[in-house]
Amino acid sequence: MKQSTLHLPDHLAVIMDGNGRWAEQRGQRRSIGHLAGARAMREVVAHCARAGIPQLTLYAFSSDNWRRPPAEVSALLTLFTSHFRSQGVALARAGIKLTVIGRRSRLPMPLRSAIRDAEARTAQGRVMQLRVAIDYSSREAIRRAEGSGTSPGDTSDGSPMLPPVDLLMRTGGERRLSDFLLWECAYAELLFLDVLWPDITPAILDDAFADFARRDRRFGNVSQRVSA
Ligand code: IPE
Ligand code: IPE
Ligand code: MG
């Protein structure tokens, strides 16, 4: 089927899971898995932009991931820093607008400034809106929205809530949300894949889009595909 004929998700969210196991299966350190995961992420971003996905939100580091061994946390933060430093130009050229969501105050200064620079450089992007969640907790975002009086679902600037997710994909075989976009996924189609994140390919993504296009989304109504 030709990609352009498919009904694509307006907002795709992805839990990029399985880097550690990918490395362990190869007898390597988990940080090697994260490196391979970053490469996969760049390919997925490029493919989604090419395919015409308007909004892509990626879960890169949860607020609970601070519990991991310090060496792994530090390897991840260093990887994020070099990723944002090197990606700003390429994303801007591709018309991709980057924003990082989550709590910034606990991130190291070099990472914060790499994020700020990449966000500024890509601010004019109109092809795709890319959000990367770092030190992100959905429960915390919902609490903040309540505290600030912002109605959850209000997507105006400064609101911690995002537009509704159409398709939520998780690689790595686990069937859970791990505190990601709980509010926004109210009517999301869920797709859990056994493939480990570094092994994701454009073909797997295309299959996911085709799967999404076949789903009958009813939002509480009756199906528009059959008559009463
Ligand atoms: C996802 O891969 C990346 C992060 C959570 C930062 P994992 O590191 O969770 O990989 P597994 O689940 O242990 O294989
Ligand atoms: C969720 O994966 C967070 C990211 C992918 C960034 P985890 O590997 O941390 O989730 P759990 O611990 O299996 O629920
Ligand atoms: Mg995991």
Side-chain angles (χ1 to χ4, degrees):
M1 199 187 303
K2 255 184 69 216
Q3 196 64 58
S4 58
T5 63
L6 285 182
H7 177 66
L8 289 169
D10 184 59
H11 186 187
L12 169 67
V14 185
I15 302 176
M16 308 183 289
D17 195 24
N19 295 348
R21 279 163 287 163
W22 184 91
E24 283 156 20
Q25 283 175 3
R26 287 162 176 74
Q28 291 176 322
R29 280 169 311 173
R30 294 175 57 86
S31 59
I32 301 295
H34 296 313
L35 203 63
R39 194 181 329 119
M41 174 174 156
R42 288 191 290 274
E43 280 170 29
V44 165
V45 167
H47 188 68
C48 287
R50 254 194 324 265
I53 299 283
Q55 302 182 69
L56 173 64
T57 304
L58 302 174
Y59 205 8
F61 190 87
S62 76
S63 294
D64 289 321
N65 287 148
W66 292 111
R67 295 178 176 170
R68 295 188 178 200
E72 180 172 349
V73 169
S74 147
L76 276 164
L77 298 175
T78 306
L79 179 63
F80 295 150
T81 307
S82 60
H83 176 86
F84 290 121
R85 277 198 189 129
S86 67
Q87 283 299 288
V89 172
L91 291 176
R93 199 174 293 141
I96 297 168
K97 175 178 177 167
L98 168 79
T99 28
V100 172
I101 60 169
R103 193 160 154 179
R104 252 176 238 203
S105 57
R106 295 189 286 203
L107 304 180
M109 284 312 286
L111 175 53
R112 281 196 244 174
S113 83
I115 291 172
R116 258 198 315 272
D117 289 351
E119 285 179 336
R121 212 184 269 278
T122 63
Q124 302 309 316
R126 293 292 177 268
V127 172
M128 184 173 80
Q129 160 94 56
L130 169 66
R131 300 185 193 87
V132 179
I134 296 183
D135 196 356
Y136 175 85
S137 156
S138 183
R139 284 178 298 194
E140 190 186 309
I142 291 168
R143 269 196 299 267
R144 253 190 311 134
E146 281 170 352
S148 69
T150 320
S151 84
D154 175 358
T155 56
S156 61
D157 280 351
S159 164
M161 313 316 297
L162 306 182
V165 170
D166 299 298
L167 176 62
L168 182 282
M169 241 175 79
R170 180 175 188 144
T171 60
E174 313 294 357
R175 275 124 175 100
R176 55 178 172 253
L177 296 181
S178 303
D179 201 10
F180 189 47
L181 302 178
L182 304 178
W183 178 277
E184 292 85 347
C185 282
Y187 271 101
E189 295 298 323
L190 307 180
L191 181 62
F192 297 104
L193 301 173
D194 290 330
V195 64
L196 301 174
W197 177 252
D199 289 328
I200 188 98
T201 61
I204 294 172
L205 280 175
D206 287 343
D207 286 348
F209 299 155
D211 182 329
F212 173 80
R214 285 191 297 267
R215 307 267 183 118
D216 184 15
R217 305 187 75 197
R218 294 190 290 277
F219 299 98
N221 200 340
V222 293
S223 178
Q224 303 304 302
R225 297 180 182 186
V226 293
S227 60

